[in-house]
Amino acid sequence: MASLSTISINRPVLATVMSLVIMLFGFIGFSFLGVREFPSVDPPVVTVSTNYVGANSDVIESQITEPLEDAVNGVAGIRTLTSVSREGSSRITVEFELGVDIEAAANDVRDKVSGALNKLPQDVYPPVVEKADADSSPIIFLTVSGGNRNLLELSRIAEVSFKEKLQTIPGVSSVQIWGQRRYSMRLWMDPIRMAALKLAPSDVLQAVNRENVELPSGRVEGNTTELTVRTMGRLSTVEDFNNLIIKESEGDVVRFRDVGNAELYPENDRTILRRDGMPSVALAIVAQPGANTIDISNALYKKLAQIERDLPPDVIYRMSYDSTQYIRASITEVEETIIIAFLLVLGIIFFFLRDWRTTLIPVATIPVSLIGSFFVMYLLGFSINVLTLLAIVLAIGLVVDDAIVVLENIYVKIEEGEEPMEAARKGSMEIYFAVISTTVAVVAVFLPVIFLQGLTGRLFREFGLVVASSVAISAFVSLTLTPMMTSRILKRREQHNWLYRKTEPFFQWLTGSYASALRGFMRRRWVGFLIIGLSVGLIYWIGTTIPSELAPME
C-alpha cells in the first residue's frame, strides 16, 4: 500500500493542490478573525445596581443592600461577594469561579433578586442585573466642546449628531455619553414663604403629580367622523410651573411663584467633565464581544469625517483616547518579529545546506503551516492578538524541523548516487513514522495548556493550540509537499558549488570534533547522570527563587 509521501511524489499536482487548499482556507479564516491586544477573557462577574433617590448610605445599606446580599448569597459558585452603599444607590458585585457559565450565573442572580423584591421599599427603582465581560470597557472616547455653548447644548449635539450615527458602526455595542446634562425643570422653594403659608415641600410634590399629567380622554364619534380627544395636561414652560396652583382655600389661591420660582436647569449638576480646563462632554465607544476593534476604529474615523462637515463652526471634537493605537503598535511589533524570525531561519538553513535549491524546500513549509493555522484559529473562535502571534513566532522554528529531517534523509541518498525520484521514495518511507512520532511529541507538549485553570489558562490556551495546530499542519506538509519538491528540485551533482567547496572544511572539522567529543563522553557515561541530577536541582532552586507574576511590566 502506497504511503502519503509516495502518492505525493507520483502525483505532484495533488500534493501542490493540497497545500494550496490549506493556504486558501487559512486566508479565508484570517479575513474573519478579530484583532485584539490580548485574548478575550470574560470575567465571571455579575453586578446588581439599585437606585433609591434621596436615601442616605445607612438606609441604602439596611433596606436594600443587606436584603439583596442575603438573597444572592445562595447562588452556587460564588467566589467573592462585595457591595458598596452610597447616597442614593447600591451596587453589589458578585464574582464567580472561572469555570462557572456566566449566562447561567446571571440568570441565577436575577431569580434571587426577583424573589427579594418584596423586601425592598415600595418606591425604590427596580434592581438592574448586568454581567460584565472583557469588552465592556470603552475602546475609544472623544470629547466635544464649544466656545460659548453650555453643557445642555453640547449634550444635545453629542446625542443627535454623534451618538445616533456612531452606533450604526458594525461591531459597536453602545456609545456612552460622559458628563451629559439633560434638560429638566428645577423648582426652587423659599422656606420662609412656605412656612408663612403653612406649606411643605411634599405639598408642592403632590401638586406637580396632580396637575402635570396627560390622561387619555377618549374620542368623539359622529355619523361620518371619529376624533381622538387629547387633554393637554403637561406643564412644559417655566411660566406653566410658576402658575401651578399649590393650594386653594376660601377663595385664596397659592401658586408656585408665591413660594419660589421655576427654572430650566440641568437634571444633574453635581458632576462635570473638563478637557484642558474647558467644560465638555465625552463619547465612549464600547465594542461588542469578539468584534474587530481595528475595523471599528477605521470606520469611526471615516464616520467622524462625515459628521464634522455638518457640525456648527464653534463645535469641535478631539480624540482623547484610542486603545487601538496600542493594539496596532503591539501587533506591528510582533509582525516585525515574525519577519525577523523568518529571515533568521532562512539564513541558518542556507548556512548549513549551502544551496538555494535545498533551502527553498523546507522554507516552503513555513507559509503553508502558518497560514493554515489561521483557519484553525477561526474554527476555535480565537483572535489575532499578541499571544497568538507570539505562538506563530515560536512555530516558525518548529514547523521546519520535520521538513529538514525529511530533506536531509533524501539528500543523503542522492549524494550516495541514487536518482532524486527513487531517493525521495525511499528516504520519505524510512523517515515516515519518525516524523509522525516527532510531531506527536511536540504537540503533546503544548496541548496540555488547554487544561490550565484560571486566568492564566484562559490567556495561554490560544497560544498552545496555535503552536500545536501549526506543528500538526507542518507534519502533513513535510510528508506531502516536501518529498514532492525534493524529487523535482534536487539534482545529483558531480561537483558542488563554490560556496559549498569553500565551507566544507569547516563542517568536516565540526563533524569530526563532535564525533571525538561523543566518543569521549560515551567512555564516561556516568557523567550524564550527574549532569541530569545537577540540572534538576538547578531547575528547582531557580524556579523557587525567581519572583512570579502574571505578565511582565511593559
Side-chain angles (χ1 to χ4, degrees):
M1 182 177 179
S3 66
L4 185 61
S5 300
T6 304
I7 295 174
S8 300
I9 295 170
N10 296 333
R11 299 181 181 273
V13 176
L14 175 63
T16 305
V17 169
M18 287 190 293
S19 296
L20 291 177
V21 168
I22 293 175
M23 296 184 66
L24 176 62
F25 277 89
F27 280 118
I28 294 174
F30 178 82
S31 64
F32 288 101
L33 290 177
V35 180
R36 300 172 51 88
E37 186 172 10
F38 293 105
S40 177
V41 181
D42 294 334
V45 176
V46 177
T47 57
V48 182
S49 304
T50 311
N51 292 328
Y52 192 19
V53 179
N56 60 33
S57 57
D58 292 334
V59 174
I60 295 291
E61 173 71 22
S62 59
Q63 297 190 22
I64 297 179
T65 304
E66 289 184 357
L68 291 179
E69 277 186 335
D70 294 339
V72 173
N73 198 36
V75 177
I78 294 179
R79 183 181 180 184
T80 60
L81 182 66
T82 58
S83 63
V84 176
S85 300
R86 54 172 61 92
E87 183 182 355
S89 65
S90 166
R91 184 179 181 89
I92 300 174
T93 304
V94 188
E95 181 182 356
F96 291 88
E97 300 291 343
L98 282 175
V100 174
D101 182 7
I102 187 64
E103 297 292 341
N107 291 333
D108 292 341
V109 172
R110 290 190 185 98
D111 293 341
K112 293 295 184 179
V113 170
S114 299
L117 291 179
N118 59 347
K119 300 179 182 179
L120 305 182
Q122 293 183 353
D123 53 346
V124 70
Y125 287 95
V128 177
V129 179
E130 300 173 307
K131 68 177 188 297
D133 58 70
D135 299 271
S136 60
S137 57
I139 60 171
I140 300 172
F141 68 83
L142 53 97
T143 55
V144 180
S145 57
N148 298 321
R149 296 179 183 268
N150 56 38
L151 290 176
L152 289 170
E153 295 175 313
L154 290 177
S155 299
R156 180 64 178 171
I157 293 173
E159 179 81 27
V160 176
S161 300
F162 285 88
K163 181 178 180 179
E164 294 182 358
K165 297 178 181 178
L166 296 182
Q167 282 180 330
T168 62
I169 296 176
V172 172
S173 173
S174 63
V175 178
Q176 304 171 0
I177 301 181
W178 296 349
Q180 185 178 19
R181 295 286 178 87
R182 296 182 180 273
Y183 284 95
S184 68
M185 194 65 69
R186 183 65 62 94
L187 303 182
W188 302 99
M189 291 174 278
D190 188 336
I192 298 177
R193 294 183 186 178
M194 294 186 67
L197 295 173
K198 298 181 181 180
L199 293 175
S202 58
D203 296 323
V204 177
L205 178 60
Q206 291 176 5
V208 172
N209 292 334
R210 182 180 63 248
E211 301 295 337
N212 187 30
V213 293
E214 189 168 338
L215 301 174
S217 303
R219 60 180 178 268
V220 177
E221 297 180 357
N223 293 331
T224 59
T225 306
E226 179 178 301
L227 300 174
T228 301
V229 179
R230 179 185 177 190
T231 303
M232 308 295 290
R234 286 286 187 183
L235 307 178
S236 57
T237 65
V238 172
E239 191 63 25
D240 290 341
F241 279 91
N242 284 330
N243 290 331
L244 176 65
I245 297 176
I246 306 299
K247 180 181 178 182
E248 183 178 5
S249 62
E250 299 179 358
D252 294 332
V253 177
V254 179
R255 300 182 182 274
F256 182 71
R257 64 160 52 94
D258 298 327
V259 295
N261 67 289
E263 180 183 3
L264 192 62
Y265 200 80
E267 181 180 341
N268 173 28
D269 65 343
R270 302 179 63 185
T271 59
I272 191 172
L273 185 144
R274 297 181 185 273
R275 169 70 186 266
D276 297 333
M278 182 184 300
S280 310
V281 294
L283 293 104
I285 289 81
V286 180
Q288 295 176 356
N292 191 325
T293 54
I294 302 297
D295 288 347
I296 293 176
S297 176
N298 295 336
L300 174 71
Y301 283 103
K302 292 180 180 177
K303 187 73 70 172
L304 288 176
Q306 299 174 4
I307 295 174
E308 188 175 11
R309 293 197 297 262
D310 300 328
L311 285 178
D314 60 329
V315 176
I316 59 173
Y317 73 88
R318 287 179 288 180
M319 191 64 62
S320 298
Y321 172 76
D322 186 356
S323 64
T324 61
Q325 293 180 354
Y326 306 101
I327 298 175
R328 292 176 197 270
S330 299
I331 299 299
T332 301
E333 189 171 352
V334 180
E335 289 174 348
E336 293 173 354
T337 305
I338 291 176
I339 296 174
I340 294 173
F342 178 81
L343 294 177
L344 288 175
V345 169
L346 177 64
I348 292 172
I349 293 175
F350 182 78
F351 174 75
F352 282 94
L353 299 180
R354 294 161 289 168
D355 183 71
W356 70 268
R357 289 175 177 267
T358 52
T359 302
L360 178 65
I361 296 171
V363 168
T365 309
I366 298 177
V368 179
S369 303
L370 300 187
I371 295 175
S373 65
F374 287 123
F375 183 68
V376 179
M377 293 167 58
Y378 166 72
L379 293 179
L380 297 177
F382 295 166
S383 62
I384 298 175
N385 54 68
V386 172
L387 289 179
T388 52
L389 290 182
L390 285 177
I392 291 177
V393 173
L394 176 62
I396 289 177
L398 296 176
V399 297
V400 297
D401 291 348
D402 293 336
I404 291 176
V405 170
V406 174
L407 171 67
E408 193 273 340
N409 197 52
I410 296 173
Y411 189 72
V412 168
K413 295 186 178 303
I414 294 177
E415 284 189 327
E416 292 176 351
E418 295 188 18
E419 292 297 325
M421 290 288 291
E422 187 63 25
R425 291 191 184 95
K426 291 183 179 179
S428 59
M429 284 294 295
E430 292 176 357
I431 211 72
Y432 189 84
F433 288 103
V435 170
I436 294 177
S437 60
T438 303
T439 302
V440 172
V442 174
V443 170
V445 172
F446 292 96
L447 274 187
V449 174
I450 65 177
F451 300 108
L452 283 176
Q453 300 297 317
L455 181 61
T456 305
R458 295 285 186 91
L459 286 174
F460 287 95
R461 182 174 302 162
E462 297 189 12
F463 174 84
L465 289 175
V466 170
V467 174
S469 63
S470 301
V471 173
I473 296 173
S474 73
F476 176 80
V477 176
S478 299
L479 296 175
T480 56
L481 185 66
T482 301
M484 185 277 292
M485 294 181 65
T486 304
S487 65
R488 262 64 181 183
I489 294 178
L490 292 187
K491 303 296 181 183
R492 186 159 59 92
R493 297 177 178 178
E494 299 297 335
Q495 185 177 8
H496 291 288
N497 59 41
W498 176 84
L499 179 63
Y500 189 97
R501 295 194 303 270
K502 289 295 183 182
T503 55
E504 185 61 17
F506 168 76
F507 285 99
Q508 290 178 352
W509 170 83
L510 189 64
T511 304
S513 300
Y514 171 70
S516 176
L518 182 60
R519 285 193 297 269
F521 179 79
M522 294 302 292
R523 287 193 293 268
R524 299 175 180 81
R525 298 183 181 90
W526 54 269
V527 178
F529 297 100
L530 292 179
I531 295 175
I532 293 174
L534 181 63
S535 301
V536 172
L538 286 175
I539 290 173
Y540 175 78
W541 177 72
I542 295 175
T544 54
T545 55
I546 293 179
S548 60
E549 58 183 353
L550 178 64
M553 294 291 293
E554 293 191 16

